[in-house]
Amino acid sequence: MAVAHRVCFVAGFLFILLLPGCEARIHKLTLKNEIRHTIDLNDFGFYANGTLDVHLYSLRVPDTQVDFSKYPVGFSLSRSRVNGVLSYTAEELKTCLLTQNSTNDEPLIRFLINIKKQSVNVIAVGKQDNILMAKEKVEADKDQEKVKRASEQQSKNQDKSAEHQELADKRSDDKKPEQAVQNPKAELVNVTGTFNLSSRHHVTLDLDKNGSAYSFSFRMRFGSEAEGLYSLKFHYCRNSDPGFNKPYSFAVEVTEKNPHGYLSAAEIPLPRLYLYMAGVFFIAALVWVYNLMKHSYSVFKIHWLMAALAFTKSTSLVFHSINYYFINTEGHPIEGWAVMYYITHLLKGALLFITLALIGTGWAFVKYILSDKEKKIFMIVIPLQVLANVAYIIIESTEEGSSEYYVWKEILFLVDLICCGAILFPVVWSIRHLQEASSTDGKAAMNLEKLKLFRHYYVMIVCYIYFTRIIAILLKFTMPFQWQWCYEFLVEVSTLIFFVLTGYKFRPASNNPYLQLPQDEDDVENDEVVTESGALEGISKVKKTSNGRDRQKESTL
């Protein structure tokens, strides 16, 4: 246990170090010497009047002489076809999205960066109900021609008759401010405009240049018919061809917001959901503690460990709710609350797997010493749980577009799978041991009752793992984007049901078959001391149960 405490302390220290990099819904990503041809920047569910702000800074490409019409560089903003499962078919994923022709009515907006012309071509396809706000690129020569024509027209008006001179001067004065607005100076050829993409499907934006770096920005506002789950990606199509790995660099800041906060559509109900579920787990923990106090004569250490797990789960949900509240209002978590959430999340995960494994081995119920192979299980599960929580915090604090994000996501999935499989081994070993014991000793009926209980416990663990890791995820992918929070609801409800059933099966009660077995072989031999001698008539025998406290008198034969 001392090793576990040290590991938890190290993990908590790592959480504090990694947390400052978390930007939540205000994403800042800097990539240097990147070679991937497609980078998934983020997925977000937008309601009507939701906004997306993208600022691209210091884009540097290795070869400015490349044919950008054949190998474009830029962003794509697309709405998922099936609620985030697959935005494109497998054939479409083989080629660069910026060079494809849309084959459906789903909204797709391409931002094609042309380094040579220092412009960004915006092409909108599909059914659009979006408003684009950006700095449009205007030809300087056309502005100069407009100014020249206006000055010629003004000189002609001055040659008119004297009676119309005053009227002509007044018209000339009225035209000057209008021309100043419509025709800016030659060096200010960029106009910030608002474009309705439902009627205008092609817009040319300005691309700023600072040395060898390029930058531009835009804002997108979504209409009522454009609600959905959107994916923002960056593409460097030259590297999509086999054998081409040209490094490029850029920095981007992405801010996504819905009308009432920074949370995605599927995350808006989560703060209240976690708070309500925290209250339910807290009430369940209080009921469990009351039951322990009521049956104190048959309470073991494992029962108090189960109570600690329930309280830790409730506390973790409270901090999780607070964390989401600040993300929704501020766009990023408050470090202090986030650290508390990650610490309680670590403790909850470690306590969960340790408690399940201890119940499976029968520790404290029927024995106080673990076998060597059972100790090895704990030596595997505890460090893996710490690694899983470290992977979780790294995923939370790392931008989705970074390459290490997917590495740690795979590590988390693999480690969680190993832990789920590891806690089943003690239960299987106990079932096998009881099957052998029920056919050899004289208490087959009692062993069969306990065997039945262990089989139920095994089925409960398998169903819990299967539902929370597979079924709930499949339901998430099939739900509409605004209802995907139901995935979290199903996971929390299934966890509550699993906790309640486990507590009921292994509750501290004298009639629980799990608590009626003797603790060692000496007790079995002492219980079988029976005499037919009349000299011992009237002497009572003490029968020890598993808790060592109940006494029962029986008359000898």
Side-chain angles (χ1 to χ4, degrees):
M1 288 299 177
V3 175
H5 290 137
R6 288 196 296 268
V7 172
C8 292
F9 175 78
V10 173
F13 182 71
L14 289 175
F15 289 169
I16 297 175
L17 291 179
L18 292 171
L19 186 64
C22 184
E23 293 291 342
R25 275 43 178 186
I26 301 177
H27 308 273
K28 295 180 181 179
L29 176 65
T30 301
L31 297 177
K32 295 182 179 180
N33 297 323
E34 185 61 60
I35 60 174
R36 290 177 292 170
H37 65 86
T38 300
I39 299 175
D40 297 321
L41 295 178
N42 198 35
D43 296 329
F44 195 85
F46 288 98
Y47 281 128
N49 295 321
T51 58
L52 169 67
D53 291 274
V54 178
H55 301 274
L56 177 67
Y57 304 103
S58 62
L59 172 64
R60 289 181 171 87
V61 294
D63 186 8
T64 58
Q65 302 301 320
V66 68
D67 186 2
F68 290 102
S69 61
K70 184 178 180 181
Y71 301 104
V73 178
F75 295 94
S76 68
L77 180 64
S78 59
R79 189 170 69 181
S80 300
R81 294 178 186 168
V82 192
N83 301 317
V85 180
L86 284 176
S87 296
Y88 311 100
T89 63
E91 295 180 357
E92 292 174 329
L93 291 174
K94 294 180 181 179
T95 59
C96 184
L97 181 62
L98 298 182
T99 60
Q100 296 176 6
N101 294 323
S102 179
T103 57
N104 57 79
D105 293 332
E106 289 295 335
L108 173 62
I109 305 173
R110 301 188 183 99
F111 296 84
L112 307 178
I113 300 175
N114 194 320
I115 301 296
K116 296 179 180 179
K117 297 182 179 180
Q118 295 187 24
S119 63
V120 180
N121 295 322
V122 181
I123 302 175
V125 296
K127 187 177 181 180
Q128 298 288 337
D129 188 20
N130 305 319
I131 303 296
L132 174 65
M133 290 162 281
K135 188 165 54 176
E136 186 180 13
K137 186 176 181 64
V138 181
E139 295 291 342
D141 295 338
K142 293 182 179 180
D143 285 335
Q144 293 175 355
E145 291 179 359
K146 290 180 180 179
V147 174
K148 185 178 180 180
R149 288 197 300 268
S151 61
E152 291 177 353
Q153 183 65 33
Q154 184 177 359
S155 62
K156 291 180 180 180
N157 292 335
Q158 292 176 353
D159 295 336
K160 290 184 178 181
S161 58
E163 62 271 15
H164 299 289
Q165 184 65 36
E166 185 178 354
L167 182 60
D169 292 339
K170 185 181 293 187
R171 291 179 179 176
S172 178
D173 293 337
D174 294 338
K175 288 183 179 179
K176 287 179 181 178
E178 183 180 356
Q179 292 169 358
V181 175
Q182 294 180 352
N183 303 304
K185 296 181 180 179
E187 60 271 15
L188 299 176
V189 298
N190 304 312
V191 180
T192 301
T194 301
F195 313 99
N196 191 340
L197 297 182
S198 61
S199 58
R200 185 173 178 179
H201 301 290
H202 186 275
V203 181
T204 301
L205 307 181
D206 180 65
L207 181 66
D208 297 327
K209 182 178 181 181
N210 185 8
S212 61
Y214 301 89
S215 62
F216 84 101
S217 62
F218 67 89
R219 165 175 284 194
M220 189 74 65
R221 178 178 286 116
F222 299 87
S224 58
E225 296 183 2
E227 292 181 344
L229 182 64
Y230 283 81
S231 298
L232 179 65
K233 304 176 188 293
F234 180 84
H235 305 271
Y236 189 77
C237 297
R238 190 71 179 96
N239 288 349
S240 61
D241 291 343
F244 286 92
N245 292 313
K246 297 290 185 179
Y248 60 93
S249 304
F250 71 90
V252 64
E253 180 178 348
V254 180
T255 303
E256 299 143 328
K257 192 174 182 180
N258 272 312
H260 301 292
Y262 288 92
L263 290 179
S264 177
E267 298 171 335
I268 292 176
L270 291 184
R272 286 175 292 178
L273 170 64
Y274 289 139
L275 191 60
Y276 294 155
M277 293 305 300
V280 173
F281 275 99
F282 185 76
I283 294 174
L286 290 179
V287 173
W288 177 252
V289 171
Y290 172 78
N291 192 35
L292 296 185
M293 300 297 294
K294 185 178 179 181
H295 302 86
S296 59
Y297 57 87
S298 57
V299 173
F300 296 98
K301 294 179 181 179
I302 189 68
H303 289 128
W304 292 111
L305 190 62
M306 295 164 68
L309 173 60
F311 281 114
T312 305
K313 174 67 175 177
S314 176
T315 307
S316 176
L317 287 174
V318 170
F319 288 127
H320 204 178
S321 175
I322 295 174
N323 200 37
Y324 265 104
Y325 171 78
F326 283 111
I327 291 176
N328 187 44
T329 56
E330 304 292 336
H332 58 82
I334 304 300
E335 291 188 9
W337 292 110
V339 169
M340 294 302 299
Y341 162 63
Y342 290 128
I343 291 176
T344 54
H345 181 77
L346 167 65
L347 294 176
K348 182 262 299 180
L351 280 175
L352 175 61
F353 283 91
I354 291 174
T355 303
L356 296 183
L358 286 176
I359 294 176
T361 60
W363 180 79
F365 286 116
V366 295
K367 63 181 180 181
Y368 292 93
I369 300 177
L370 298 177
S371 63
D372 291 337
K373 60 182 180 180
E374 290 170 345
K375 291 179 180 178
K376 292 179 181 179
I377 290 294
F378 289 96
M379 292 175 64
I380 294 174
V381 169
I382 294 177
L384 285 180
Q385 267 302 296
V386 173
L387 178 60
N389 284 274
V390 171
Y392 176 78
I393 179 60
I394 291 178
I395 290 173
E396 289 291 309
S397 60
T398 304
E399 293 298 338
E400 186 176 347
S402 59
S403 56
E404 59 267 19
Y405 175 87
Y406 298 97
V407 175
W408 283 104
K409 195 171 184 179
E410 293 176 357
I411 292 175
L412 176 61
F413 176 78
L414 178 62
V415 169
D416 187 65
L417 188 63
I418 294 175
C419 289
C420 292
I423 62 174
L424 292 176
F425 282 100
V427 185
V428 174
W429 292 336
S430 298
I431 291 176
R432 184 178 302 174
H433 174 73
L434 289 173
Q435 287 176 337
E436 296 174 355
S438 62
S439 60
T440 57
D441 61 19
K443 298 208 171 188
M446 187 67 68
N447 283 331
L448 288 176
E449 286 291 329
K450 187 178 178 184
L451 177 62
K452 182 180 179 180
L453 184 61
F454 262 93
R455 285 175 174 171
H456 290 171
Y457 182 59
Y458 176 83
V459 173
M460 286 164 51
I461 293 179
V462 172
C463 291
Y464 173 70
I465 295 173
Y466 185 75
F467 186 84
T468 56
R469 268 66 177 180
I470 300 177
I471 300 298
I473 296 178
L474 293 178
L475 291 176
K476 177 182 179 181
F477 287 153
T478 56
M479 290 179 178
F481 77 100
Q482 67 270 30
W483 292 98
Q484 290 185 8
W485 61 270
C486 294
Y487 159 75
E488 299 291 342
F489 174 74
L490 293 175
V491 170
E492 297 301 334
V493 169
S494 62
T495 302
L496 177 64
I497 294 175
F498 178 73
F499 280 16
V500 171
L501 290 179
T502 302
Y504 176 78
K505 290 290 184 180
F506 300 98
R507 64 193 182 279
S510 58
N511 60 345
N512 192 330
Y514 196 87
L515 309 177
Q516 293 178 359
L517 284 181
Q519 298 181 7
D520 49 44
E521 294 297 330
D522 294 336
D523 293 334
V524 176
E525 295 176 0
N526 292 334
D527 289 345
E528 294 177 352
V529 176
V530 179
T531 177
E532 296 180 358
S533 174
L536 299 178
E537 184 176 358
I539 297 179
S540 61
K541 175 175 68 75
V542 176
K543 182 177 180 181
K544 295 174 62 180
T545 61
S546 59
N547 54 40
R549 296 181 180 87
D550 295 340
R551 300 172 62 88
Q552 179 180 354
K553 289 188 176 182
E554 296 178 358
S555 298
T556 56
L557 296 177

